[in-house]
């Protein structure tokens, strides 16, 4: 199950926002959603009541600074990142995921690492055949992915499919992930 | 010459075996130790510990058998700047140099910055376009490093870096190109736009934030996440190859349509270099750029190409101060620069126009 991006509990609210053709998915648990003003006391989403999706989005943006998002290891916050342009420590990639995914989306084309793997010894597979830099027509041997890498890739594709609202594709990917996880013995 | 100057002026292989248009290429990998805060947030003690660990591991790497290790804090300002002029380290690296160390090999083809923006910034250079060889080399260093240090890595994000714009491969590959004909024929603006559209960046002689001087342009990859190293490198190679073709075509056009202009500019530039007594860095680089074009077009002997790059390196402001072993003001440097250039270009044969 997806986790709340703010507190890590199981997410029950999945909000997809489209602003200037950019789609952002935010996942939250009920409590965090309420904290951010996305639900009223009866549990009805305000967005649906008022239809003010954009107003909510600007609310979310402010909340990114004021949401209490903070790295538990080094204390880096979205504010300090804004000031220095640098993250505090490797753990920031976990605790400030919401911030980082936003930056990655605007600065990078991909969202999943496809290069060298550290300490896994997979480098041989990513090293190109001798002539691939000189002969542009040479096809690279496809790399064999470990189950974990494959899962990561599928998860990324699933996220992308959800973002693009291609639900049939998303369902297919979800099933594939399930099967793969089953075969790996992961619950 | 003091020890530092000797290390700096030892024959760099980077200016030998040069080819037209391509000045040099570089691959840089950014890595961080998993158990420490990134440099900007780390305390002095942490930075010291990072430097010690990295130094120990790097010293045992076979590639650094013949190399120099510098404590950046021990160096004078112009010495640090001279290392930037040589591209052995970055401008950012010398700003806060307290716990920073620099490794570089005697041939100046490999350098490692410890405690730059990331704990480790490893770079390899070549005087031509051969990413395959360079990648094998830097990959071997990286393997050695990751076998001996706990490197910050995440299955989804790849190598974790202080700035998310480097995350993933942590790799930046760049090529320095000499594109005088594209500048003369005013095609350079369109080319820059086209390259940017492909997700690559065009910068000046000293990378980030620097302006183009003397028709030199640095092209590098923007994205680091979502592509394998080999894919980034082969795309960059393809782009560079087509830029080289454009430049060579533009040179033919200039020869056809602006030949008198070309002779006049090259002839005057050599005149300046032989007769100057006070020359600014920009004027010097622009004149040398025309001499490099003259070599490529066959107006000067081919063997001069490497020497020209060597001279261009030597006449930079901080190199002059290292050579003189003292701090000089701007006009003192301009005078010394002119002296070095007069001396070198008096030995250069006369131009042989077609």
């Amino acid at each position: 199950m997806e986790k709340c991006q703010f507190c890590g509990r199981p997410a029950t609210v999945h909000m997809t926002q489209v602003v200037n053709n950019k789609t952002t998915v935010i996942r939250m648990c009920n409590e965090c959603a309420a904290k951010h003003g996305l639900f009223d006391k009866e549990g009805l989403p305000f967005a649906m009541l008022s239809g003010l999706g954009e107003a909510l989005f600007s609310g979310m943006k402010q909340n990114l600074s004021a949401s209490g998002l903070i790295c538990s290891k080094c204390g880096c916050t979205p504010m300090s990142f804004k000031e220095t342009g640098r993250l505090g420590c490797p753990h920031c990639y976990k605790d400030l995921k919401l911030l980082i995914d936003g930056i990655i989306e605007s600065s990078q084309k991909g969202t999943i690492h496809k290069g060298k793997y550290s300490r896994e010894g997979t480098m041989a597979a990513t090293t190109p055949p001798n002539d691939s830099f000189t002969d542009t027509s040479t096809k690279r041997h496809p790399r064999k992915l470990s189950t974990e890498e494959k899962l990561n890739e599928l998860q990324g594709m699933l996220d992308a499919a959800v973002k693009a609202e291609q639900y049939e594709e998303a369902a297919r990917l979800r099933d594939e992930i399930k099967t793969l996880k089953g075969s790996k013995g992961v619950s | 010459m003091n020890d530092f100057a000797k290390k700096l002026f030892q024959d760099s292989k980077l200016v030998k075996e040069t080819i037209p248009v391509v000045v040099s290429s570089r691959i840089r990998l950014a890595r961080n130790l998993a158990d420490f805060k990134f440099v900007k947030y780390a305390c002095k003690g942490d930075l010291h510990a990072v430097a010690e660990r990295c130094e120990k591991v790097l010293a045992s790497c076979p590639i650094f058998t013949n190399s120099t290790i510098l404590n950046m804090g021990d160096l004078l300002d112009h010495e640090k700047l001279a290392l930037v002029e040589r591209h052995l380290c970055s401008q950012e690296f010398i700003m806060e140099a307290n716990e920073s160390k620099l490794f570089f090999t005697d041939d100046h083809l490999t350098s490692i910055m410890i405690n730059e923006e990331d704990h480790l910034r490893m770079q390899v250079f070549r005087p031509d376009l051969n990413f395959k060889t360079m990648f094998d080399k830097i990959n071997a260093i990286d393997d050695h490093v990751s076998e001996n240090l706990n490197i910050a890595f995440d299955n989804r994000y790849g190598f974790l870096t202080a700035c998310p714009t480097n995350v993933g491969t942590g790799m930046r590959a760049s090529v320095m190109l000499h594109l005088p004909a594209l500048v003369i024929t005013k095609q350079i603006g369109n080319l820059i736009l086209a390259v940017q559209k492909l997700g690559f960046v065009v910068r000046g002689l000293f990378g980030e934030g620097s302006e183009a001087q003397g028709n030199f342009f640095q092209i590098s990859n923007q994205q680091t996440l979502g592509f394998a190293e080999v894919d980034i490198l082969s795309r960059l190679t393809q782009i560079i190859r087509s830029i080289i073709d454009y430049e060579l075509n533009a040179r033919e056009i200039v020869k056809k349509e602006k030949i008198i202009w070309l002779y006049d500019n090259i002839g005057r530039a050599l005149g300046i270099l032989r007769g100057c007594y006070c020359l600014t860095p920009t004027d010097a680089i622009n004149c040398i750029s025309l001499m490099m074009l003259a070599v490529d077009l066959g107006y000067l002997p081919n063997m001069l190409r490497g020497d020209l790059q060597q001279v261009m390196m030597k006449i930079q402001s901080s190199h002059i101060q290292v050579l003189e072993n003292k701090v000089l003001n701007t006009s003192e440097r301009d005078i010394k620069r002119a002296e070095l250039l007069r001396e070198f270009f008096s030995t250069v044969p006369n131009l042989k126009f077609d």
Side-chain angles (χ1 to χ4, degrees), chain B residues 5-146:
Chain B
K6 277 183 200 151
K7 290 283 180 198
L8 190 70
F9 284 100
Q10 62 200 351
D11 259 356
S12 165
K13 280 228 175 94
L14 204 54
V15 296
K16 287 181 177 165
E17 303 145 31
T18 50
I19 55 171
V21 187
V22 175
V23 179
S24 61
S25 21
R26 179 188 75 133
I27 299 180
R28 181 220 75 196
L29 296 181
R31 300 288 185 256
N32 286 282
L33 273 53
D35 311 321
F36 291 90
K37 288 181 185 175
F38 293 140
V39 174
K40 192 111 191 169
Y41 288 73
C43 63
K44 215 176 142 114
D46 274 357
L47 291 177
H48 187 77
V50 167
E52 256 187 358
R53 286 190 194 191
C54 292
E55 184 179 348
K56 209 174 152 195
V57 167
L58 291 173
S60 68
C61 186
I63 209 160
F64 292 107
T65 312
N66 297 310
S67 63
T68 305
I69 307 163
L70 297 172
N71 287 321
M72 295 307 284
D74 299 343
L75 300 181
L76 301 168
D77 281 349
H78 65 260
E79 290 176 333
K80 287 187 246 178
L81 280 164
L83 294 166
V84 177
E85 289 175 350
R86 277 237 158 195
H87 300 284
L88 288 172
C89 68
S90 64
Q91 191 83 40
E92 178 164 347
F93 184 60
I94 63 168
M95 303 294 258
E96 286 166 42
N98 274 333
E99 294 293 339
S100 313
K101 282 175 196 274
L102 178 70
F103 270 71
F104 61 88
T105 51
D106 287 352
D107 59 11
H108 288 191
L109 295 184
T110 311
S111 83
I112 297 193
M113 295 174 256
I114 302 175
N115 287 334
E116 203 238 25
E117 174 185 315
D118 296 298
H119 295 144
L120 282 166
R121 286 273 177 116
M122 316 187 272
Q123 336 187 70
V124 293
F125 304 89
R126 267 190 78 87
D128 53 16
L129 191 62
N130 190 339
F131 279 130
K132 162 77 181 133
T133 317
M134 292 166 75
F135 186 66
D136 286 349
K137 192 170 167 184
I138 200 155
N139 196 30
I141 302 174
D142 186 45
D143 284 346
H144 177 84
V145 164
S146 54

Side-chain angles (χ1 to χ4, degrees), chain A residues 113-118 123, chain B residues 31 139 142-143 153 159 229:
Chain A
H113 179 56
K114 291 201 176 131
K116 176 174 180 172
Y117 265 59
S118 186
M123 205 49 226
Chain B
R31 300 288 185 256
N139 196 30
D142 186 45
D143 284 346
F153 182 84
F159 291 96
E229 290 82 358

Side-chain angles (χ1 to χ4, degrees), chain B residues 272-317:
Chain B
I272 290 173
L273 292 165
R274 278 180 178 165
C276 61
Y277 276 82
C278 180
L279 202 63
T280 64
T282 309
D283 284 349
I285 285 182
N286 286 336
C287 288
I288 295 174
S289 158
L290 283 164
M291 292 304 104
M292 288 166 80
L293 181 61
V295 171
D296 292 350
L297 297 178
Y299 307 151
L300 284 172
N302 205 25
M303 50 172 281
L304 272 180
R305 190 181 290 114
D307 295 344
L308 286 172
Q309 283 192 32
Q310 188 98 44
V311 164
M312 198 167 79
M313 196 73 94
K314 269 187 194 165
I315 53 127
Q316 298 180 93
S317 297

Side-chain angles (χ1 to χ4, degrees), chain A residues 23 26 30 55 64 83 94 96 100 108 110 113 115 118 120 122 148 155 163 167 170 173 187:
Chain A
T23 314
I26 301 164
N30 271 353
L64 205 56
E83 269 164 39
K94 282 204 176 73
L96 306 182
I100 283 159
Q108 304 272 7
H113 179 56
S118 186
E120 302 268 66
T122 49
E148 204 159 314
Q155 186 61 48
K163 263 185 196 176
Y167 296 114
L173 288 162
S187 60

